[in-house]
Amino acid sequence: MGDLPFFEIPNSEKCYLWFMKKWLVGLWALMMTTMSLAQDKPAYAIFNGQGKPLKYKKVLRILEEGEVICFGELHNNPIAHWLELEILRDLTEVKGAAQMVVGAEMLETNQQEGLDQYLKGEVEKKVWTQSTDLWSNHDTDYQPVVDFCKQEGIPFIATNIPRTYARKVSREGIASLDSLPDEEKALMVSLPFSIDFDLPSYAKMKEMMGGHAHGGMAENFVSAQAIKDATMADRILKNWKEGKVFYHMNGSYHSDDKEGILWYVAKGAPDATLKNISVVEQADISELSKEYLGKADIMIVVPNSMTKTYLTGFE
């Protein structure tokens, strides 16, 4: 027998071949694992409010306990919009369509009649969308939710104050609404309504505006935000009752820390179980940044390199 590479024992060629086969299989597995890790780019991660990673099934179990759920999105984040619809689908499957009500900041109270006509099949989608002043990303980001509700027979509530009135408050103050006719006042929360300027979220807004340095201008800015929150909460409360689930989509700044919309909901329905979701962007999504701890029951973290659905800023 001639020189053998490794073994001078009977069947050494078989041993050599067996060893090489195992070595090559191991090398291939290592290469595949390394390549997989190098190519692994998760689109999002989910944590609870304390920063503990959550699986999607656990997210649903947490939300199933809620009676009013605010999904606090980033308006131009595609992952947020996808998960809004996925969570709604799955909650509907568990709760049943008859127990669900959906609402959105992105539709205003003066648009309810046209929305109802579309949901009832009285007008075509093209007629409704072209006759309504919708957000620029409505077709891609919100229409799928409207269509799901239409398909399942779920009421969809336009909750936000018409923007013209919010702008009026921002420029002229809350008292500027007092002279409006009753039919216009019906499109917003009943006046007067309470505003707690010391709520951390509102206090931060006032600080961003320069606090007392701008006097009434900063207060008007907060008042405009508050009348949006109060009107959305008012429409939620008018269309929710015990045993139902109201699933609301809004910018995260309207429901983070259970302030904003949820602060007003809690005033009107102190026994309701409130849940909130907040979407944030981070460079590293492997753990929740400390600055976001406690902001919501469910934290959805998306890479800050994620593509945007539009580039013009918030509506």
Side-chain angles (χ1 to χ4, degrees):
M1 186 177 296
D3 292 337
L4 296 175
F6 286 96
F7 303 100
E8 294 292 346
I9 57 175
N11 297 321
S12 58
E13 284 139 344
K14 291 183 179 179
C15 291
Y16 172 72
L17 292 173
W18 177 86
F19 173 81
M20 288 301 296
K21 181 180 179 181
K22 291 294 185 183
W23 182 79
L24 288 171
V25 169
L27 178 62
W28 178 83
L30 178 61
M31 289 173 62
M32 291 299 102
T33 301
T34 302
M35 289 173 63
S36 176
L37 289 172
Q39 295 171 359
D40 186 23
K41 287 185 178 290
Y44 68 97
I46 307 181
F47 303 87
N48 66 13
Q50 292 71 50
K52 179 182 177 181
L54 296 177
K55 293 186 180 296
Y56 183 76
K57 286 184 179 180
K58 178 62 175 177
V59 170
L60 288 180
R61 287 199 293 271
I62 293 171
L63 295 178
E64 284 167 17
E65 300 171 358
E67 294 175 294
V68 176
I69 301 168
C70 279
F71 192 120
E73 64 171 46
L74 296 177
H75 292 319
N76 60 0
N77 186 285
I79 297 298
H81 299 305
W82 172 64
L83 282 172
E84 277 173 335
L85 181 53
E86 290 301 303
I87 289 173
L88 174 59
R89 287 183 191 275
D90 292 330
L91 283 176
T92 300
E93 185 174 346
V94 172
K95 295 290 186 178
Q99 300 306 112
M100 300 295 296
V101 184
V102 174
E105 169 198 1
M106 303 81 195
L107 289 165
E108 299 164 9
T109 54
N110 60 332
Q111 298 169 334
Q112 187 69 55
E113 183 178 357
L115 174 59
D116 286 342
Q117 289 175 341
Y118 173 68
L119 292 171
K120 293 174 183 176
E122 296 173 358
V123 297
E124 297 294 326
K125 181 187 299 185
K126 186 176 181 180
V127 173
W128 174 60
T129 57
Q130 290 186 353
S131 63
T132 307
D133 186 14
L134 300 170
W135 285 22
S136 60
N137 61 326
H138 175 88
D139 284 348
T140 55
D141 298 342
Y142 306 114
Q143 187 63 37
V145 179
V146 175
D147 286 338
F148 175 76
C149 290
K150 183 175 187 288
Q151 171 191 313
E152 298 295 325
I154 298 172
F156 198 117
I157 309 302
T159 62
N160 205 359
I161 185 173
R163 67 199 77 176
T164 184
Y165 302 122
R167 289 171 183 158
K168 185 176 179 64
V169 171
S170 183
R171 292 192 303 265
E172 304 171 33
I174 200 75
S176 66
L177 301 179
D178 291 341
S179 59
L180 293 176
D182 289 345
E183 61 267 25
E184 293 185 51
K185 288 181 179 179
L187 297 172
M188 61 193 75
V189 65
S190 297
L191 300 174
F193 71 103
S194 62
I195 305 175
D196 185 350
F197 290 98
D198 292 325
L199 277 178
S201 56
Y202 292 165
K204 186 177 180 180
M205 285 181 190
K206 194 170 182 179
E207 183 181 342
M208 288 171 61
M209 290 291 293
H212 297 292
H214 294 286
M217 182 178 176
E219 187 167 296
N220 290 351
F221 183 76
V222 174
S223 297
Q225 178 79 357
I227 199 167
K228 290 181 181 181
D229 292 335
T231 298
M232 288 188 272
D234 177 71
R235 289 313 190 264
I236 289 171
L237 290 169
K238 284 178 176 176
N239 292 278
W240 169 84
K241 61 182 179 181
E242 190 175 351
K244 296 274 189 178
V245 176
F246 198 113
Y247 183 82
H248 192 263
M249 300 180 298
N250 52 264
S252 58
Y253 46 88
H254 286 292
S255 56
D256 277 352
D257 302 301
K258 290 197 170 77
E259 295 185 8
I261 297 168
L262 291 176
W263 186 82
Y264 283 105
V265 170
K267 283 176 64 68
D271 295 328
T273 303
L274 312 180
K275 298 291 181 182
N276 63 335
I277 302 166
S278 186
V279 180
V280 297
E281 294 181 340
Q282 298 179 181
D284 177 8
I285 68 170
S286 62
E287 61 180 5
L288 182 65
S289 175
K290 291 181 179 179
E291 66 182 296
Y292 300 128
L293 292 174
K295 279 202 168 294
D297 298 298
I298 306 294
M299 297 296 306
I300 299 171
V301 184
V302 181
N304 56 20
S305 59
M306 180 62 62
T307 54
K308 310 302 182 192
T309 57
Y310 63 94
L311 300 174
T312 58
F314 291 160
E315 292 285 342

